[in-house]
Amino acid sequence: MKQQLELLWELQKIDLTLKRIKEERDRFPKEIKKLDEKQSIEKEKIQKEKEKVESLEKERKQKEKNLSLEQEKVKKEEARMLEVKTNKEYQALLNEIEAIKNVTSREEEEILQILEEIDEVKKDLSKREKEVTTTIEKIEKEKKKIQEKMDQGDGIWKEQKERREALSKQIESNLIKLYNTLKEKRQGVGVVNVKKETCQGCFVNIPPQMFIEVQKTNAIIRCPNCNRILHWEGDGRKK
Ligand SMILES: [Zn+2]
């Protein structure tokens, strides 16, 4: 019976590993998807700032074009001054030139402001780009790690499945049946260790006499609380 229990214990460990890998196969692709999303959000941040620089540049060009048109106008009006005959006409022209000059100086100021803003955004952008590059590198690393774990899991899965197959043949069919039933009812755990008179499946104390029986490993003994098969791993080793 001792040997049967040990085989069953090994089977349990394999089943827990398989269970973990199964959960990972469900979880890892979701984690990778989340990381992908994070990555595109980071890239978007940069994209938005680049677009802002572009639109500011466009605005600047437009304003410069306007400015040179206004400056042309001033030149033309100034040329007309030479042809003016009356004082009244002269004064009118002067007023007109003055008005245009007001406009152009305001436009010049606006262009300067835009240039400053472009500088500001560009400075921020290059800082941001560095940050985003670092973040993206980190994300890539995380994704790679998960991918490696997935590959590892696939390898372990195959190996453990084969071992399980072999083990199952060595365990009495009644015991396997009992184990499978318990496993299904109890979150994948049919056999548990006992430590310090406590079932490690439900953490309820078992009677001292029962604890002694478990240590003898002569019979299948089940936890009075959770019904699982109790396994004694010995004193020397830790769980
Ligand atoms: Zn229990």
Side-chain angles (χ1 to χ4, degrees):
M1 189 47 73
K2 186 176 164 56
Q3 195 219 1
Q4 283 289 300
L5 271 167
E6 284 311 316
L7 291 174
L8 195 64
W9 180 243
E10 197 187 339
L11 190 73
Q12 174 69 79
K13 284 197 275 195
I14 289 172
D15 280 343
L16 285 176
T17 304
L18 293 175
K19 188 173 174 242
R20 180 188 48 112
I21 294 172
K22 218 172 152 192
E23 283 162 1
E24 285 174 354
R25 279 179 179 172
D26 181 53
R27 198 178 71 235
F28 284 162
K30 283 178 196 154
E31 281 177 15
I32 287 185
K33 200 175 160 232
K34 243 188 227 164
L35 289 171
D36 278 339
E37 279 164 12
K38 234 166 114 183
Q39 221 168 356
S40 26
I41 288 171
E42 289 295 319
K43 282 179 185 163
E44 245 170 62
K45 272 189 208 163
I46 295 285
Q47 193 49 37
K48 271 192 191 140
E49 291 210 35
K50 277 184 183 162
E51 277 164 18
K52 198 178 174 193
V53 172
E54 270 168 36
S55 96
L56 282 170
E57 292 281 10
K58 224 186 248 173
E59 201 186 337
R60 179 183 67 101
K61 270 182 200 147
Q62 187 57 48
K63 286 208 186 286
E64 276 172 353
K65 212 165 134 192
N66 283 348
L67 180 64
S68 75
L69 284 176
E70 299 292 331
Q71 281 165 341
E72 268 318 293
K73 251 195 233 168
V74 171
K75 266 186 210 159
K76 267 184 203 158
E77 302 287 293
E78 276 170 349
R80 269 178 65 200
M81 296 265 279
L82 301 171
E83 298 155 18
V84 160
K85 301 215 169 59
T86 68
N87 198 29
K88 200 179 161 195
E89 268 180 305
Y90 182 81
Q91 200 53 51
L93 210 47
L94 209 58
N95 287 343
E96 220 175 292
I97 291 171
E98 200 54 39
I100 299 172
K101 278 187 174 169
N102 276 340
V103 173
T104 57
S105 78
R106 205 179 61 227
E107 276 176 347
E108 274 166 356
E109 234 168 79
E110 281 171 4
I111 289 169
L112 275 178
Q113 271 172 11
I114 292 173
L115 283 173
E116 269 172 34
E117 205 180 333
I118 288 173
D119 266 358
E120 205 69 24
V121 177
K122 274 188 176 167
K123 225 193 279 168
D124 194 46
L125 180 64
S126 78
K127 204 178 121 205
R128 210 38 106 79
E129 264 176 328
K130 272 181 207 149
E131 284 170 7
V132 167
T133 308
T134 316
T135 312
I136 285 181
E137 271 169 17
K138 264 190 215 155
I139 293 174
E140 289 289 354
K141 256 185 218 162
E142 255 177 274
K143 271 163 64 178
K144 215 178 135 199
K145 232 195 261 168
I146 293 174
Q147 191 54 54
E148 277 168 8
K149 275 192 206 161
M150 274 167 88
D151 295 343
Q152 259 172 25
D154 287 345
I156 295 171
W157 179 271
K158 201 170 161 271
E159 186 189 292
Q160 298 276 290
K161 270 278 189 191
E162 278 164 17
R163 178 73 188 134
R164 191 183 196 285
E165 190 81 17
L167 264 177
S168 302
K169 283 178 191 149
Q170 296 173 55
I171 302 172
E172 286 166 22
S173 64
N174 277 346
L175 194 52
I176 287 264
K177 230 181 260 172
L178 174 63
Y179 165 74
N180 282 336
T181 314
L182 288 169
K183 198 178 71 168
E184 231 163 87
K185 281 188 196 157
R186 304 280 173 203
Q187 295 88 40
V189 183
V191 195
V192 282
N193 267 330
V194 184
K195 261 204 269 182
K196 291 179 186 159
E197 296 186 16
T198 308
C199 164
Q200 297 300 299
C202 64
F203 299 100
V204 165
N205 276 0
I206 59 167
Q209 186 53 43
M210 190 179 255
F211 184 52
I212 291 166
E213 290 302 317
V214 173
Q215 291 180 56
K216 283 183 189 162
T217 61
N218 289 330
I220 300 299
I221 295 163
R222 292 160 65 181
C223 170
N225 182 56
C226 70
N227 262 329
R228 290 180 176 110
I229 300 164
L230 296 174
H231 173 258
W232 173 244
E233 202 165 41
D235 280 321
R237 285 181 290 165
K238 280 183 182 165
K239 189 196 171 268

